[in-house]
Amino acid sequence: MNFAMNTLKQKPIWILLVVLLIGGGLAFSIKDTQEIEMIDADYHVAKRSNFMVSIVEGGTLTATSEHVVRNETDYTLQITWIIPEGSVVKKGDLLLELDSSTLREKIASQEQNVEEAKLQLEYAHDSLNLSRLTWEAEIDEETLSLEIANSDLEKYKEGEWPITMTNFAAKIKIAEEELERARDRLDKTKKLKERGYATEVELRADELSLTKQELNIRQYKLERDIAVKYDYPKAVRLAQAKIRDQELDLVRTKQKSKTSIRSYETALESKKRSLKAYEERLEEYKHQLSLCKVHAPREGLVVYQPPSNYRYPGIEVGASISSKYRILKLPDVSQMMLEIMVHESHVRQVKEGLPCIVSIDSLPENKLSGFIRRVAPLPDTRSRYYNPNLKVYKTEVWINERLSDLKPGVSGRAEIVVTNLSDVVTVPIQCVTTIGNEQVCFVRSGSDNLAVPVEVGMFNDSMIEIRSGVNPGDEVLLSPIVLGDAIDMEGSFASTEDITGPDAVKIPSAEELKAAQQVGRADMEMDEEAKRRADKANQKVDKKKNAEARANKPKVKKDKKNT
């Protein structure tokens, strides 16, 4: 195989020429309704007949849908067991097992982290409750102090101060009464002294008592004025200042409580997020562990993924499989199709839904019916590797019959029935050539060959329709390279009965075509979704590596002066 590939790489042009020369033998075939009449082995007699326009291409038998089995984990794991290639499995059968020892260790470690996170969460919750109770008690205490301060102010204004003023008024009143009595006593003492009944000492004592009462009245009024002017405002301001201090203490305590409780709540939320992250990571590890055993999602044939390069040993026990790498696929062999490559000269004639006749090389006696399922919008890039000028379009031919005994990879041919023309003039395709900018045929006229401009119509691998320029019965010159008594016409293998008979191939309905095109689309979407998941996982890994690289990068201190 390696020798053949090396030879193909070294001499691709010579091999391509050999292939083209061999394929040229398939160029000239005709149905049993299109027998070629040869005159002197150089001319063909043009005549009217039924003309089936078809395109014959070879291809490979493939499944219409296949499920791709990948390493769905996010890790590179080794295969510990895998089902033999070529086995036919049913839905639910075990396909392969990947080494799960690393994931089991991660699960055990993560379970311990989850338990520790739960304990930390419980501690954070208790701390938050204790902090709330403590601060509520302090707030209640400060609130009570504020209420007492307000009460003290009200008590002083409405109780203590009125009592003080009443005491001053009473003292002054009593002093004034005592003053009147002292005056009366002094007057009586003076009269008695004038009569000789009182002494000078008694008179002096009564005068002193009068003076004393006057002084007491003056003192009481002065004390009252001082209390009104100074003591009352001072006491009120002190009480109000105490109230303001208590209010500030209450606000300060409430703010401290909010800050403290918020910090405990933040710690609690952080512990909750940590626990949630640990639990999610644990569930992810368990999910990854469940992906280590892969079961068949449906029935199918086991086909290993071929090696992507010479460094990769292939799918086997012990092979390391990267994340999202293909391991095997399960093609649905119950419904098959033939993948062919249609040359760019014919691709305009090939449309979805055209009927086809399929022949399998290993079953040449069986002719199968089908239709065009899909035509690629762009040329196949792989076919242009050895010949950049070759442009072919990948075309899928749906096979109506069930081929349960055949496996993908079998060679076959498909004849695409473009149309079936009735009563038209046809000549071999090599009879038409180009002179200048117009197409001509060389028609015998006596001993000469006249170049007659023609208008061509539909064509197949061997014949071409002449719409004008050549009449039935004209003898048209054949191309020199095809002169001979026998012309190989094996390119076409369909007969008239295959087109017009009771078992003729039929054009599918719109519903049948749409149903055929939907087969395998879910697998393609799953494959694309797997690719997207792989790309996303790779982006996460790259992002993590970049973050680690930035974290480990040494910081360079800049000198301000040099800068």
Side-chain angles (χ1 to χ4, degrees):
M1 181 65 180
N2 294 332
F3 176 77
M5 292 299 295
N6 293 332
T7 304
L8 189 60
K9 292 180 179 179
Q10 295 173 0
K11 301 179 181 180
I13 298 178
W14 294 106
I15 294 177
L16 181 61
L17 291 175
V18 173
V19 173
L20 292 176
L21 290 175
I22 295 174
L26 302 178
F28 313 112
S29 68
I30 192 168
K31 311 297 175 290
D32 49 359
T33 60
Q34 300 172 0
E35 298 179 357
I36 299 177
E37 292 189 13
M38 308 295 290
I39 300 179
D40 297 336
D42 292 330
Y43 295 91
H44 170 78
V45 177
K47 63 179 181 180
R48 291 188 177 275
S49 62
N50 295 332
F51 178 44
M52 184 181 70
V53 181
S54 63
I55 302 170
V56 180
E57 296 290 350
T60 305
L61 199 65
T62 59
T64 55
S65 64
E66 59 183 17
H67 179 80
V68 178
V69 176
R70 302 172 181 269
N71 176 14
E72 297 293 345
T73 67
D74 297 333
Y75 307 93
T76 299
L77 302 176
Q78 289 185 343
I79 298 176
T80 57
W81 181 86
I82 189 169
I83 193 170
E85 187 175 16
S87 303
V88 178
V89 296
K90 297 181 180 179
K91 183 177 180 180
D93 290 349
L94 183 63
L95 297 178
L96 61 98
E97 290 185 12
L98 298 174
D99 185 15
S100 60
S101 58
T102 303
L103 287 172
R104 295 184 185 277
E105 293 176 358
K106 290 181 178 293
I107 289 174
S109 176
Q110 197 66 18
E111 287 177 344
Q112 184 177 359
N113 293 336
V114 170
E115 293 299 326
E116 293 178 356
K118 288 182 178 179
L119 292 176
Q120 293 178 1
L121 178 61
E122 185 178 357
Y123 176 77
H125 191 273
D126 294 340
S127 299
L128 175 61
N129 292 334
L130 179 61
S131 176
R132 285 175 175 172
L133 293 175
T134 302
W135 285 109
E136 285 176 359
E138 292 190 10
I139 290 174
D140 292 340
E141 183 178 354
E142 295 295 338
T143 303
L144 179 61
S145 298
L146 178 60
E147 292 177 354
I148 292 173
N150 287 317
S151 178
D152 289 342
L153 177 60
E154 184 178 359
K155 173 185 175 183
Y156 179 76
K157 287 182 176 181
E158 298 180 2
E160 293 180 356
W161 176 249
I163 292 174
T164 301
M165 296 305 295
T166 302
N167 291 334
F168 280 120
K171 288 180 180 180
I172 292 171
K173 182 69 175 176
I174 294 171
E176 289 177 348
E177 292 292 335
E178 292 290 335
L179 179 61
E180 291 296 328
R181 289 176 61 187
R183 285 175 180 173
D184 292 340
R185 190 180 301 111
L186 179 61
D187 291 339
K188 290 178 180 181
T189 301
K190 285 180 177 181
K191 292 176 178 182
L192 291 175
K193 185 175 180 302
E194 290 176 355
R195 295 177 182 180
Y197 295 108
T199 64
E200 185 68 24
V201 175
E202 292 175 345
L203 179 63
R204 296 252 179 213
D206 292 338
E207 289 177 349
L208 181 61
S209 176
L210 178 64
T211 302
K212 181 179 179 182
Q213 295 302 324
E214 290 177 349
L215 290 176
N216 286 338
I217 292 173
R218 196 178 300 117
Q219 179 182 355
Y220 291 150
K221 288 183 177 180
L222 182 60
E223 287 178 355
R224 182 193 64 185
D225 294 339
I226 291 173
V228 172
K229 186 176 181 180
Y230 298 106
D231 292 344
Y232 179 76
K234 178 182 177 181
V236 171
R237 285 197 297 270
L238 288 175
Q240 291 175 345
K242 185 176 181 181
I243 291 174
R244 286 194 298 270
D245 291 341
Q246 293 298 329
E247 289 176 346
L248 291 176
D249 290 342
L250 179 60
V251 173
R252 192 180 299 112
T253 303
K254 288 183 177 180
Q255 188 63 35
K256 287 182 179 179
S257 69
K258 288 181 180 180
T259 304
S260 178
I261 292 174
R262 188 181 298 114
S263 65
Y264 281 104
E265 290 176 346
T266 302
L268 180 62
E269 293 298 325
S270 177
K271 299 303 180 183
K272 287 181 179 180
R273 288 194 297 270
S274 298
L275 177 59
K276 184 179 180 181
Y278 284 135
E279 290 176 343
E280 289 178 352
R281 182 62 62 87
L282 178 60
E283 292 299 323
E284 178 63 20
Y285 285 153
K286 290 182 178 180
H287 176 65
Q288 297 287 327
L289 179 63
S290 66
L291 298 176
C292 291
K293 287 187 177 183
V294 182
H295 297 269
R298 66 181 185 188
E299 297 181 358
L301 180 69
V302 177
V303 179
Y304 287 176
Q305 174 71 17
S308 58
N309 52 60
Y310 67 93
R311 296 181 180 179
Y312 187 67
I315 303 301
E316 60 184 4
V317 175
S320 296
I321 307 299
S322 302
S323 175
K324 305 304 182 289
Y325 188 83
R326 290 189 178 189
I327 303 176
L328 54 86
K329 55 185 178 181
L330 297 175
D332 184 9
V333 296
S334 62
Q335 181 62 60
M336 308 291 281
M337 67 180 179
L338 191 68
E339 287 188 355
I340 61 176
M341 298 294 177
V342 177
H343 193 268
E344 61 179 338
S345 61
H346 298 297
V347 73
R348 293 181 60 187
Q349 298 176 336
V350 178
K351 307 294 181 182
E352 294 180 354
L354 286 180
C356 302
I357 301 172
V358 180
S359 175
I360 306 300
D361 292 354
S362 59
L363 300 172
E365 68 280 358
N366 295 336
K367 292 182 181 180
L368 309 174
S369 62
F371 55 87
I372 299 297
R373 179 196 184 196
R374 178 180 176 272
V375 180
L378 298 176
D380 185 65
T381 56
R382 295 176 298 177
S383 302
R384 299 176 60 187
Y385 180 78
Y386 299 109
N387 186 2
N389 296 324
L390 179 63
K391 294 182 176 62
V392 292
Y393 292 76
K394 182 179 177 181
T395 305
E396 299 175 356
V397 179
W398 179 277
I399 300 176
N400 295 327
E401 289 80 4
R402 300 289 181 176
L403 304 176
S404 57
D405 297 335
L406 296 178
K407 296 182 178 180
V410 176
S411 299
R413 292 185 300 164
E415 183 166 358
I416 305 170
V417 181
V418 179
T419 185
N420 190 24
L421 303 178
S422 300
D423 194 25
V424 294
V425 178
T426 59
V427 297
I429 195 169
Q430 67 270 25
C431 294
V432 181
T433 186
T434 302
I435 298 178
N437 293 326
E438 62 180 358
Q439 294 174 316
V440 299
C441 287
F442 287 92
V443 180
R444 174 183 286 183
S445 177
S447 59
D448 296 330
N449 294 320
L450 300 179
V452 178
V454 295
E455 179 186 358
V456 298
M458 305 293 289
F459 62 92
N460 59 16
D461 292 342
S462 58
M463 306 295 289
I464 187 169
E465 175 191 5
I466 304 298
R467 295 180 178 177
S468 64
V470 175
N471 299 318
D474 290 346
E475 297 178 7
V476 183
L477 181 66
L478 292 169
S479 177
I481 63 172
V482 296
L483 295 178
D485 295 335
I487 300 176
D488 186 6
M489 308 298 286
E490 292 183 356
S492 175
F493 55 86
S495 63
T496 304
E497 294 182 356
D498 296 329
I499 305 301
T500 59
D503 298 329
V505 60
K506 297 180 181 179
I507 299 176
S509 62
E511 291 77 10
E512 293 174 340
L513 177 60
K514 184 177 181 180
Q517 292 173 342
Q518 291 294 330
V519 174
R521 179 166 295 180
D523 295 331
M524 294 173 63
E525 293 177 353
M526 291 176 61
D527 197 13
E528 293 176 355
E529 179 65 23
K531 291 180 180 178
R532 286 193 293 270
R533 291 199 304 269
D535 295 338
K536 188 175 181 180
N538 294 332
Q539 290 176 0
K540 289 184 178 179
V541 173
D542 294 340
K543 187 176 181 180
K544 184 177 180 181
K545 289 182 179 178
N546 294 334
E548 292 177 352
R550 288 194 299 270
N552 297 329
K553 184 178 179 180
K555 296 183 179 179
V556 179
K557 295 184 178 180
K558 294 184 178 179
D559 190 351
K560 294 184 178 179
K561 295 182 179 179
N562 295 335
T563 305

